[in-house]
């Protein structure tokens, strides 16, 4: 979940993203959606029509989880609330028995975490620093930062439910590429549309895995059972999670950018051989078979590669030329915040 912070207001006015739908593929034909226990929606499981499907051991996703936790500990150590109280509000550090690891006052950060100043100093995404101070590394570093322990736990639970199954199916190389490029894509789109705020969190990468699930199901359509139910449920969960992003103080552009990147990467990196998969069951033991993709898979691969190259190139050129995405899409701000009688959306809190 990508945390979106206003520099001119305190963190108590903000909300964490509640996106990151989850879909696992296990050994069940259950078509009913369920909850993973932390408020995230999960999709039904569905089977590959081959009992001999190869599964890798998942180690990269657990390493990502460990890395996120270690980074959060380092951030809290540097934050050192008792010594450097970065807040304009009265109040004491929360959980002072933790010493320098204690949290900022809840009026400043209700998510039990560091100050906005610490996050900004350690790599949070900020348009001014990316474009005018040539700190493009923030497009990657923000993915590994979290606004608080609540934010961290929600993201890590989502990553475990989404990522481990995908890594078991496709291996660490392809899933690692999807995760990192999707997070980068979410950061780029967020920077194009949001300027006077900072953003942290792994939601772009998480939505990328969700998008890759959708494209993988589409490109490998013929080898799955319960495919229609799985596709419908996944689309509904994606729509719900993106709809949640229109709430204020939630960076839905990171959601959308990550999802689109992952969706296209799924067509490029996750296609399975249709002919070989379907024919291997009819071959005698020990007889080899030839893997071959279908024509529509090649077409999706070519179109997706082209869109990825063009999309990233255009977005990065616009970003580093200082272009404001809202000037070229006057209705796009509604994708991240829809004003109602209960809340308002200012120009940069989209």
């Amino acid at each position: 979940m990508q945390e979106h912070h206003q520099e001119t207001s305190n963190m108590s006015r903000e909300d964490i993203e509640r996106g990151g739908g989850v879909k696992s593929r296990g050994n069940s034909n259950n078509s009913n959606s369920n909850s993973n226990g932390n408020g995230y929606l999960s999709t039904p499981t569905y089977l590959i029509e081959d009992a001999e499907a190869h599964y890798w051991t998942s180690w990269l996703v657990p390493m990502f989880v460990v890395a996120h936790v270690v980074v959060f500990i380092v951030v809290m150590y540097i934050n050192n609330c008792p010594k450097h109280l970065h807040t304009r509000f009265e109040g004491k550090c929360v959980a002072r028995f933790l010493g320098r690891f204690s949290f900022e006052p809840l009026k400043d950060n209700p998510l039990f975490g560091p100050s906005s100043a610490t996050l900004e100093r350690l790599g949070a995404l900020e348009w001014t620093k990316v474009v005018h101070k040539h700190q493009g590394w923030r497009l990657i570093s923000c993915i590994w930062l979290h606004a608080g322990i609540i934010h961290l736990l929600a993201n890590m639970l989502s990553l475990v439910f989404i990522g481990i199954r995908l890594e078991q199916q496709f291996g660490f190389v392809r899933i690692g590429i999807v995760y990192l490029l999707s997070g980068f894509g979410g950061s780029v789109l967020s920077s194009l549309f949001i300027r006077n705020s900072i953003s942290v969190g792994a939601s772009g990468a998480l939505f990328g895995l969700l998008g890759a699930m959708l494209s993988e199901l589409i490109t490998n359509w013929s080898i799955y059972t319960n495919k229609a139910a799985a596709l419908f449920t996944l689309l509904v969960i994606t729509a719900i999670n993106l709809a949640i992003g229109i709430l204020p103080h939630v960076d839905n552009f990171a959601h959308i950018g990550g999802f689109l990147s992952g969706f296209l990467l799924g067509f490029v990196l996750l296609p399975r051989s249709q002919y070989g998969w379907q024919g291997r069951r009819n071959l005698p033991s020990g007889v080899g078979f030839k893997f071959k993709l279908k024509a529509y898979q090649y077409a999706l691969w070519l179109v997706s590669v082209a869109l990825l190259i063009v999309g990233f190139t255009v977005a990065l050129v616009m970003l580093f030329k200082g272009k404001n995405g809202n000037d070229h899409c006057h209705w796009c701000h509604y994708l991240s915040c829809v004003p109602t009688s209960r809340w308002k959306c200012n120009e940069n809190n989209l």
Side-chain angles (χ1 to χ4, degrees):
M1 298 183 297
Q2 193 88 3
E3 182 62 19
H4 179 202
H5 301 274
Q6 286 296 316
E7 292 178 344
T8 58
S9 63
N10 63 79
M11 293 177 66
S12 64
R13 295 177 53 194
E14 297 161 12
D15 191 13
I16 65 171
E17 289 179 353
R18 293 177 288 274
V22 178
K23 177 166 73 72
S24 63
R25 269 172 272 152
N27 297 321
S28 170
N29 289 329
N30 177 28
S31 62
N32 296 322
S33 62
N34 52 75
S35 171
N36 64 23
N38 70 328
Y40 292 83
L41 293 174
S42 59
T43 63
T45 57
Y46 53 96
L47 291 171
I48 299 175
E49 294 181 343
D50 194 329
E52 298 180 2
H54 174 70
Y55 286 86
W56 282 266
T57 299
S58 176
W59 63 268
L60 183 64
V61 169
M63 281 190 62
F64 279 162
V65 173
V66 171
H68 280 289
V69 172
V70 169
V71 169
F72 182 75
I73 293 173
V74 172
V75 170
M76 293 306 302
Y77 179 85
I78 295 174
N79 185 70
N80 194 4
C81 179
K83 186 176 180 180
H84 307 104
L85 193 58
H86 307 292
T87 178
R88 294 187 293 271
F89 301 95
E90 296 181 359
K92 298 180 179 180
C93 299
V94 178
R96 291 181 64 87
F97 64 88
L98 295 175
R100 68 185 300 146
F101 294 98
S102 57
F103 310 117
E104 293 292 311
L106 293 182
K107 287 185 177 180
D108 190 16
N109 186 346
L111 302 177
F112 298 96
S115 66
S116 295
T118 298
L119 291 172
E120 181 181 347
R121 182 157 59 99
L122 295 180
L125 184 62
E126 185 187 12
W127 180 84
T128 301
K129 288 183 169 57
V130 170
V131 176
H132 296 300
K133 296 188 178 181
H134 309 291
Q135 297 179 5
W137 51 269
R138 290 179 179 269
L139 295 169
I140 295 295
S141 62
C142 68
I143 300 172
W144 305 94
L145 297 174
H146 288 84
I149 194 168
I150 295 176
H151 188 202
L152 175 70
L153 290 175
N155 269 345
M156 293 306 98
L157 285 173
S158 185
L159 177 57
V160 167
F161 276 93
I162 297 174
I164 287 181
R165 289 291 185 180
L166 280 174
E167 187 180 355
Q168 289 174 339
Q169 292 266 328
F170 297 99
F172 73 93
V173 174
R174 287 182 283 183
I175 299 309
I177 293 173
V178 171
Y179 184 85
L180 294 175
L181 284 183
S182 297
F184 179 73
S187 298
V188 171
L189 192 64
S190 178
S191 296
L192 278 173
F193 287 91
I194 299 177
R195 295 200 168 192
N196 293 340
S197 60
I198 64 173
S199 182
V200 296
S203 74
L206 293 173
F207 266 76
L209 295 180
L210 185 63
M213 285 182 174
L214 179 58
S215 58
E216 189 270 326
L217 177 60
I218 293 173
T219 192
N220 301 321
W221 182 258
S222 64
I223 65 175
Y224 286 102
T225 61
N226 289 338
K227 53 192 94 178
L231 178 61
F232 175 78
T233 307
L234 184 54
L235 288 173
V236 170
I237 290 173
T238 300
I240 291 174
N241 286 322
L242 289 173
I244 290 174
I246 66 176
L247 296 173
H249 315 298
V250 178
D251 186 359
N252 209 26
F253 288 112
H255 293 179
I256 296 170
F259 181 85
L260 291 177
S261 299
F263 183 71
L264 294 175
L265 286 166
F267 289 124
V268 176
L269 297 174
L270 307 183
R272 298 180 187 269
S273 171
Q274 306 294 295
Y275 296 118
W277 202 285
Q278 292 176 348
R280 64 186 295 181
R281 293 172 299 175
N282 301 322
L283 294 176
S285 177
V287 176
F289 57 91
K290 184 178 180 180
F291 283 96
K292 186 177 180 181
L293 299 180
K294 289 188 176 182
Y296 78 89
Q297 290 178 298
Y298 283 114
L300 289 172
W301 190 94
L302 289 172
V303 171
S304 297
V305 168
L307 289 176
L308 282 168
I309 294 174
V310 172
F312 274 109
T313 301
V314 171
L316 288 172
V317 169
M318 289 181 61
L319 174 61
F320 287 104
K321 281 189 174 182
K323 301 292 184 180
N324 188 337
N326 294 290
D327 294 337
H328 301 274
C329 180
H330 299 292
W331 57 267
C332 283
H333 60 279
Y334 292 115
L335 295 174
S336 190
C337 184
V338 176
T340 69
S341 58
R342 293 180 176 270
W343 62 71
K344 296 181 179 180
C345 304
N346 60 47
E347 180 180 358
N348 291 292
N349 184 24
L350 304 176

